[in-house]
Amino acid sequence: MRPGIRLRLTRAWLKLRLALATSPLFRSFYRARRFALLAPHIDLADPSIAADIAAGQVVLGGRSLLCGDRSPFHVAPPSEGFVRALYGFGWLAHCDASPLPEVRAHARKLVRDFLKMPENRRSVFAAHPAVVARRVIAWVPHSGLLAEGEDRAGYERLLDQLARDGAILAVYARRSDLGVGRLQAAVGLAFHALELDRVRKAIPSAEQSLDLALAALVAPDGATHDRDCGTVALIAADLVAMLALYRARQIAPPPAITSTLSDMIAFLRLLQHPDGGLTLMNGGGRIPRDLAGEIIRSRRGPAVLLTSAVETGFERLENAHAVLIADAGNPPRRSCAGRAGASALAFEFSSRADRIITSCGMPPGADAGIARAYRSAAAHSSVLVDGDGLGTLYDVATVTGETETRLKPLPGAVAPLRARSEPGETLPLGHRGFIDTHGYALERQLTLIDAFAGLIGRDRFDALTGEAPNRVVPLAFHLTPRLVPVRLGRADAIILRLPEGKPGYDQFLFEASGYQILVEESRVFEAGSPNNRSHCLVIEAEIAGSTEIGWRILPYMPEFT
């Protein structure tokens, strides 16, 4: 059977399953009599955002919509991300944090606008797995706000919509072709069962779906199979709140939930810089530093110190002076590759005071074209050959009817074997993905210096196909926005200054002996950071046969220069 026909049949079957699940008969199995618990949450809330929403200026998904007296549900949205955030109702946290009666009343009015909309008038994204899950998870913690002064008819409409959403999540939570969307749906279904007053078997049924989804989509190292750090953080935040629900119900949670949360927190600690934020590779920039800190601090008992995520392919070197986080290049699963970046052999480097080398992250509200650019290899501190990275992005139609941009990584990542050398600990990364296309195997060695906040790098290109042709190799090093590059009198060295930096950590020397260092404009995006204008250092070398390029980052002191 041809793939196109198979996809159409699968879509038709899913549509039929959803229609059956949301019919009055089957929806009744997910109908609750009332809200059972006021669930906790660790969302970051800002009452000023709620005031803006009440005034008619809605900022969601990185985009702004000025709707005045009209409901944002009845105004053309500025982007797909805006629609997903609007129908996910995460903005209710801001409204619930506001003490102003008019702001709280406006939030209830918007929810009523949504409930009164015919289903065929809603956005197609309103029924997508992640959006439905976010809506369920958002409504119940803020049920006190939604039910405040509500009449019986409005309360019944709210419970009826939750019954429909629960039926949808039950279908999605069992589908293996949704990627991480299946896990998001299973988490939402578990919240639905725990927070609402439903039949007794609802909780065991939801637990079974969640156990299966966790086993299928979370690696033993704690990362989700999409390799998206932001997904891991958001799922972990949900599991933290879920465990609080179990305690409130005085029910023992399934062991899979507690063990998976511990693994996820250990994985997030591996990706955490000394400033508290996560690496900006693969979605980490979507998570504010405060939220990352709250998730990691939620772990009870001794902290797990993970330095290598073997299955997912992230590595960490750390000493008293600096931290290095690197991507060994393990590929994501094909069905989960819709958010992964082409970050193979990329790294980020921080002193104990500030980040120095980073990745570009992702602009908030980026449309498909811009998101593709920031997921490419060029947006990471990595290696390219003739402009090509170790992965390409391609569009594919999915079972839910949307077009998804997936990463197709080149195979050939080499498992790192750490070693000790005189300067410090060395992390060797290797990849053979360019052999067929360009004739070269890559080896990147990163050595974290023990004596001070410094890093020594060595990038080796080995010609393995006889006489490999000449190639142009750009090595990119994206700088944190706080760094100011200042040229020296020679082309192979740059001073990196940190205004207002800690003495001894406020100036660094980037040096690549024998190679010209170019300074280009760049952008670095991290949630909550107001400044994104930055620079990128580029070493552009022409290689012929086996070639080695050495570079280093050292504190700018005369005895080391």
Side-chain angles (χ1 to χ4, degrees):
M1 186 182 297
R2 289 185 297 175
I5 297 176
R6 184 184 299 112
L7 179 61
R8 286 196 292 270
L9 290 175
T10 305
R11 282 180 180 171
W13 175 243
L14 176 59
K15 186 176 181 180
L16 179 61
R17 288 284 310 276
L18 292 173
L20 183 64
T22 56
S23 64
L25 174 61
F26 286 92
R27 187 176 359 189
S28 64
F29 293 112
Y30 298 89
R31 188 69 158 78
R33 293 180 289 272
R34 60 184 177 85
F35 292 101
L37 291 171
L38 190 63
H41 66 90
I42 57 174
D43 297 325
L44 304 179
D46 184 350
S48 66
I49 296 177
D52 290 339
I53 294 174
Q57 183 170 359
V58 184
V59 180
L60 297 172
R63 297 294 180 91
S64 176
L65 177 66
L66 189 62
C67 51
D69 294 333
R70 296 174 296 173
S71 168
F73 292 104
H74 300 141
V75 180
S79 70
E80 175 186 321
F82 182 96
V83 176
R84 290 177 179 270
L86 177 65
Y87 282 89
F89 287 86
W91 46 268
L92 280 177
H94 305 300
C95 300
D96 204 3
S98 174
L100 301 176
E102 61 272 19
V103 172
R104 300 173 68 85
H106 186 75
R108 289 190 292 274
K109 176 183 179 300
L110 294 184
V111 174
R112 285 195 296 269
D113 289 341
F114 167 78
L115 293 174
K116 292 177 180 178
M117 286 177 68
E119 292 178 6
N120 60 2
R121 296 281 304 278
R122 297 173 183 173
S123 167
V124 294
F125 297 110
H128 279 216
V131 177
V132 178
R134 294 322 312 168
R135 183 162 61 241
V136 169
I137 294 172
W139 276 7
V140 184
H142 307 295
S143 57
L145 167 67
L146 301 182
E148 192 176 294
E150 191 62 82
D151 58 20
R152 185 65 188 178
Y155 193 73
E156 290 295 329
R157 278 196 300 269
L158 183 62
L159 292 177
D160 191 58
Q161 179 64 46
L162 282 168
R164 183 181 187 278
D165 287 346
I168 291 174
L169 291 176
V171 174
Y172 285 146
R174 296 292 182 132
R175 294 198 65 92
S176 60
D177 52 2
L178 295 178
V180 178
R182 175 190 179 184
L183 177 57
Q184 294 166 325
V187 170
L189 184 62
F191 270 89
H192 193 279
L194 287 165
E195 296 172 328
L196 296 172
D197 185 15
R198 290 175 51 199
V199 295
R200 181 173 299 179
K201 66 178 182 180
I203 294 178
S205 177
E207 288 175 343
Q208 183 183 35
S209 295
L210 182 56
D211 284 351
L212 292 172
L214 290 172
L217 291 159
V218 180
D221 57 27
T224 48
H225 284 301
D226 60 354
R227 302 185 84 247
D228 187 306
C229 314
T231 300
V232 177
L234 294 175
I235 295 294
D238 290 337
L239 295 183
V240 170
M242 189 182 297
L243 290 179
L245 280 174
Y246 274 103
R247 289 193 294 270
R249 276 187 169 268
Q250 299 183 356
I251 302 174
I257 296 178
T258 54
S259 63
T260 299
L261 177 59
S262 295
D263 293 341
M264 284 183 160
I265 291 175
F267 177 76
L268 292 175
R269 290 190 75 244
L270 183 149
L271 301 180
Q272 189 181 35
H273 284 281
D275 62 14
L278 301 178
T279 170
L280 302 190
M281 294 183 284
N282 290 288
R286 294 186 289 131
I287 306 303
R289 296 181 186 184
D290 290 346
L291 179 58
E294 285 292 326
I295 296 167
I296 292 172
R297 285 191 296 271
S298 70
R299 174 172 172 77
R300 298 181 178 183
V304 178
L305 299 176
L306 189 68
T307 59
S308 180
V310 178
E311 293 82 4
T312 313
F314 291 97
E315 301 287 331
R316 179 186 182 93
L317 294 182
E318 182 174 4
N319 60 27
H321 306 286
V323 170
L324 171 81
I325 302 169
D327 185 347
N330 291 11
R333 288 188 182 177
R334 182 180 301 176
S335 63
C336 299
R339 300 192 70 97
S343 57
L345 304 194
F347 75 96
E348 296 187 8
F349 172 65
S350 288
S351 71
R352 285 292 174 183
D354 287 278
R355 298 193 199 191
I356 300 171
I357 305 298
T358 186
S359 305
C360 289
M362 181 66 66
D367 59 23
I370 295 176
R372 180 189 289 261
Y374 281 89
R375 289 171 60 192
S376 69
H380 298 83
S381 296
S382 187
V383 181
L384 290 84
V385 176
D386 281 353
D388 297 329
L390 288 163
T392 57
L393 297 165
Y394 67 102
D395 293 334
V396 61
T398 67
V399 68
T400 56
E402 62 183 324
T403 299
E404 184 177 69
T405 301
R406 291 182 178 175
L407 173 71
K408 183 179 181 181
L410 294 179
V414 178
L417 297 173
R418 300 174 183 231
R420 292 292 308 181
S421 60
E422 184 178 347
E425 188 174 9
T426 297
L427 176 68
L429 304 174
H431 212 289
R432 303 172 67 85
F434 281 140
I435 294 177
D436 292 339
T437 55
H438 297 295
Y440 287 92
L442 277 64
E443 181 185 351
R444 163 165 275 187
Q445 285 195 1
L446 303 168
T447 301
L448 202 61
I449 301 174
D450 288 335
F452 45 78
L455 179 67
I456 300 174
R458 182 176 69 85
D459 292 313
R460 182 175 177 82
F461 302 85
D462 288 319
L464 300 181
T465 58
E467 295 185 4
N470 292 12
R471 300 294 186 189
V472 175
V473 177
L475 308 180
F477 304 85
H478 295 275
L479 305 178
T480 186
R482 292 190 61 213
L483 276 172
V484 179
V486 180
R487 285 201 173 276
L488 287 175
R490 36 194 258 257
D492 62 355
I494 296 283
I495 298 299
L496 307 177
R497 290 182 176 168
L498 278 162
E500 303 176 5
K502 181 180 177 181
Y505 294 89
D506 56 346
Q507 292 191 106
F508 290 84
L509 172 71
F510 183 94
E511 185 178 34
S513 181
Y515 293 95
Q516 183 179 7
I517 302 174
L518 307 176
V519 180
E520 301 179 354
E521 289 190 1
S522 182
R523 294 288 188 275
V524 171
F525 295 92
E526 181 183 10
S529 176
N531 183 21
N532 59 59
R533 297 179 66 88
S534 187
H535 296 86
C536 180
L537 306 183
V538 178
I539 302 172
E540 193 167 272
E542 185 173 350
I543 62 174
S546 296
T547 306
E548 184 173 297
I549 303 172
W551 48 268
R552 60 182 185 169
I553 303 171
L554 307 172
Y556 185 48
M557 302 177 191
E559 59 267 32
F560 298 126
T561 58

